[in-house]
Amino acid sequence: MALSYVLEPAVSGFNFENSTRNIVLENGSEEGKIKAPKPMKTGTTIAGVVYKDGVVLGADTRATSDEVVADKMCAKIHYIAPNIYCCGAGTAADTEKTTDMLSSNLTIFSMNSGRNPRVVMAVNILQDMLFRYRGMIGAHLILGGVDCTGSHLYTVGPYGSIDKVPYLAMGSGKLPAMGILEDRFKGNMDLEEAKALVSDAIHAGIMSDLGSGNNIDLCVITKEGVDYIRPHRESIYNYKRQAKYKYKPGTTPVLTKTVNQLELELVHETVQMMETAGSS
Amino acid sequence: MDSHHSYSQVKGVSTGTTILAVKFNGGVIIGSDSRASMGESYVSSKTINKLIQVHDRIFCCIAGSLADAQAVTKMAKFQLSFHSIQMESPPLVKAAASIMRELCYNNKEELQAGFITAGWDRKKGPQIYVVSLGGMLLSQPFTIGGSGSTYIYGYVDAKFKPDMSLEEAIQFSTNALALAMGRDNVSGGVVHLVVITEAEVKHVVVPGNKLPKFHDE
């Protein structure tokens, strides 16, 4: 086949060996019930728009873990290649790792073939991988980039479906964001218009969705290069602390102090010489 | 086609859809709507492409889970192209349909997608094959599929004539799709038609506002 890229060997799906154990633990007797930890989701608003000279991607920066904001300045626009970036919604770990793997594979491909990767190749690799995992990887992605064939924006779903679109919003805040995009999108916008549109779409998502919030990141990709604006717009709710809340040393009086020496017995010692004679 | 199968259990993006193919004098028309839905209430795309070219004169249209359908057609495109290189000649439409059938039948537990394969080849001219959900392969002079097809069985049975001209066939397909889109909530958008003849492949797009209107609209 064509130039190969290094993808992990196709093991059949996920390892479900622990599922029966987990069910037993969760349904245990009243005192023994254990709740499984919930994965951190980026209840999110992400959006992308193709404009005259390239692609503008946008995202909010809130990562939630149930009702708590786990990360206020989470980076949801991931680097894939110098000319390709990807916004991720869904399970935070899944989007991070999927985009990381994609980026490594494309770098290897670039080095092997001497060519810059195309957006459509990135999309195909993602589609293959996500389809193979049958929706278990919760990654809803917006992939955008500029290559020798033009500017492209694709959506990749967790089951492995793809669609090529001129504008798009994903994540829990996608409905309000889509409203803004549907209203104001035009073909061939200029840069400032496109940035304002994406920024307003994310803002609508932030205002109308509990899972999205904090700042807005933008990423502008053109033939010339990438402008990663982080943050483009900061949240109006300022989180700067009013005073220093550290306790001074001596605040808590020390009453007694005991030191227990640990008796360590040297049982076994091996020495292995390293080959440091400068070879490679 | 399995028209009574409910597509609401499809996970992820579904092309709850209307697709059709019809043979006319000298070629075949394959057509679809352009809506992709998620669940029963969100239209995830108004302009999805359901007519996938698997070879120069062979197209497939897809119904069911979008992810499954795209994966199967990608695989079929690769296998067909390889087959065509080995045989050193353009593949038969039946070969394309058989490849799709093998994939659907052997993976019937995991896949939820149905296809209509249509095209032109030197041996038998224009042909239409249906590959349904479980992997059944059937050749027909015209066929409809997808969730919206249930609303137009009467229309197509009454109005189809063998050996129509190109214009009649285009009118027939457009009317059928417009009627289905008018009654089925998960079909909609624009009408995509591809006309396949020996000489060329032509795309015809009929936008929503140019669709034929029927007396109650």
Side-chain angles (χ1 to χ4, degrees):
Chain A
M1 236 209 276
L3 283 163
S4 61
Y5 48 86
V6 175
L7 217 48
E8 38 150 21
V11 229
S12 53
F14 283 85
N15 184 341
F16 288 108
E17 277 171 10
N18 283 333
S19 5
T20 29
R21 178 205 74 173
N22 291 344
I23 294 175
V24 167
L25 283 176
E26 283 190 30
N27 296 337
S29 60
E30 275 312 308
E31 322 88 59
K33 260 201 178 125
I34 298 173
K35 250 187 120 210
K38 280 221 174 70
M40 180 167 94
K41 294 192 142 232
T42 60
T44 265
T45 311
I46 49 178
V49 140
V50 176
Y51 77 103
K52 189 172 57 165
D53 302 320
V55 174
V56 178
L57 298 172
D60 72 305
T61 59
R62 173 178 290 182
T64 50
S65 185
D66 282 343
E67 309 82 28
V68 178
V69 174
D71 191 348
K72 290 183 283 202
M73 203 42 187
C74 164
K76 300 187 193 181
I77 306 183
H78 308 279
Y79 166 88
I80 304 286
N83 55 331
I84 307 175
Y85 276 72
C86 178
C87 305
T91 310
D94 288 345
T95 55
E96 275 285 339
K97 282 302 161 193
T98 309
T99 46
D100 261 354
M101 275 213 297
L102 176 64
S103 174
S104 312
N105 280 322
L106 285 181
T107 316
I108 293 174
F109 166 78
S110 278
M111 286 198 255
N112 277 338
S113 67
R115 296 168 89 161
N116 279 333
R118 295 192 188 181
V119 184
V120 73
M121 179 177 188
V123 168
N124 279 322
I125 296 176
L126 275 178
Q127 178 174 46
D128 286 342
M129 175 161 55
L130 292 175
F131 182 75
R132 195 161 24 101
Y133 283 99
R134 328 224 77 244
M136 293 298 205
I137 295 187
H140 305 247
L141 306 167
I142 295 182
L143 207 89
V146 178
D147 57 32
C148 57
T149 54
S151 322
H152 308 282
L153 188 70
Y154 284 88
T155 168
V156 186
Y159 288 90
S161 58
I162 62 168
D163 193 14
K164 184 172 194 305
V165 280
Y167 62 91
L168 183 66
M170 292 283 260
S172 54
K174 72 165 170 237
L175 290 175
M178 266 314 243
I180 302 285
L181 289 174
E182 291 281 11
D183 186 37
R184 284 161 43 186
F185 176 81
K186 304 193 299 278
N188 274 328
M189 284 185 287
D190 58 37
L191 177 62
E192 287 315 310
E193 247 186 304
K195 275 162 73 171
L197 177 59
V198 176
S199 178
D200 288 346
I202 306 289
H203 188 68
I206 288 174
M207 287 295 131
S208 308
D209 175 44
L210 295 177
S212 312
N214 301 87
N215 309 330
I216 300 178
D217 288 347
L218 281 191
C219 182
V220 181
I221 312 171
T222 55
K223 224 173 18 179
E224 280 77 49
V226 172
D227 188 14
Y228 196 130
I229 313 166
R230 178 173 156 83
H232 173 252
R233 206 201 289 188
E234 284 197 321
S235 161
I236 55 171
Y237 300 104
N238 211 321
Y239 293 110
K240 293 210 174 13
R241 294 202 169 90
Q242 304 296 334
K244 282 202 165 34
Y245 296 105
K246 276 187 135 62
Y247 287 104
K248 286 197 279 288
T251 311
T252 313
V254 178
L255 297 178
T256 43
K257 184 168 147 180
T258 22
V259 177
N260 287 327
Q261 289 284 6
L262 283 175
E263 296 286 331
L264 288 178
E265 194 187 311
L266 183 62
V267 176
H268 184 65
E269 184 179 347
T270 33
V271 175
Q272 194 165 39
M273 295 300 286
M274 253 175 37
E275 287 285 322
T276 48
S279 40
S280 72
Chain B
M1 216 151 151
D2 297 65
S3 46
H4 298 297
H5 180 92
S6 159
Y7 287 99
S8 58
Q9 272 85 48
V10 169
K11 288 197 256 174
V13 179
S14 144
T15 59
T17 194
T18 312
I19 50 180
L20 61 68
V22 61
K23 251 197 278 199
F24 66 94
N25 193 357
V28 70
I29 294 185
I30 192 166
S32 77
D33 69 308
S34 67
R35 181 173 289 184
S37 49
M38 260 205 271
E40 296 289 355
S41 60
Y42 182 67
V43 175
S44 61
S45 176
K46 296 175 285 191
T47 54
I48 197 112
N49 176 30
K50 301 186 202 180
L51 300 177
I52 304 189
Q53 182 161 25
V54 291
H55 209 267
D56 292 346
R57 292 285 183 276
I58 308 177
F59 274 71
C60 265
C61 53
I62 61 184
S65 155
L66 185 61
D68 291 348
Q70 285 179 341
V72 172
T73 45
K74 256 173 102 172
M75 179 68 104
K77 204 169 168 178
F78 162 70
Q79 289 188 3
L80 198 61
S81 135
F82 188 69
H83 167 75
S84 166
I85 289 173
Q86 278 191 322
M87 302 287 277
E88 295 193 6
S89 87
L92 299 180
V93 185
K94 180 129 197 221
S98 295
I99 290 173
M100 309 282 291
R101 184 267 311 271
E102 281 301 298
L103 290 167
C104 288
Y105 182 73
N106 291 332
N107 298 297
K108 59 159 76 156
E109 271 82 44
E110 282 96 34
L111 293 175
Q112 258 190 306
F115 305 89
I116 295 179
T117 308
W120 183 95
D121 66 44
R122 199 174 222 111
K123 187 168 167 192
K124 285 205 195 150
Q127 294 148 75
I128 296 174
Y129 293 90
V130 172
V131 178
S132 70
L133 231 58
M136 172 188 78
L137 175 62
L138 209 55
S139 170
Q140 297 187 310
F142 74 93
T143 187
I144 53 179
S147 55
S149 64
T150 51
Y151 305 101
I152 51 172
Y153 271 105
Y155 177 80
V156 297
D157 282 341
K159 289 289 184 179
F160 174 76
K161 300 188 314 274
D163 266 341
M164 287 186 279
S165 70
L166 173 61
E167 292 71 30
E168 282 177 312
I170 291 184
Q171 194 58 52
F172 170 81
S173 317
T174 316
N175 284 349
L177 285 169
L179 283 166
M181 280 154 60
R183 285 291 184 181
D184 183 25
N185 65 323
V186 284
S187 302
V190 307
V191 164
H192 283 295
L193 295 175
V194 171
V195 181
I196 309 169
T197 54
E198 175 178 5
E200 60 167 2
V201 162
K202 195 166 68 147
H203 285 267
V204 179
V205 176
V206 186
N209 57 349
K210 300 261 182 4
L211 286 175
K213 284 196 174 357
F214 299 92
H215 69 90
D216 57 326
E217 291 175 76

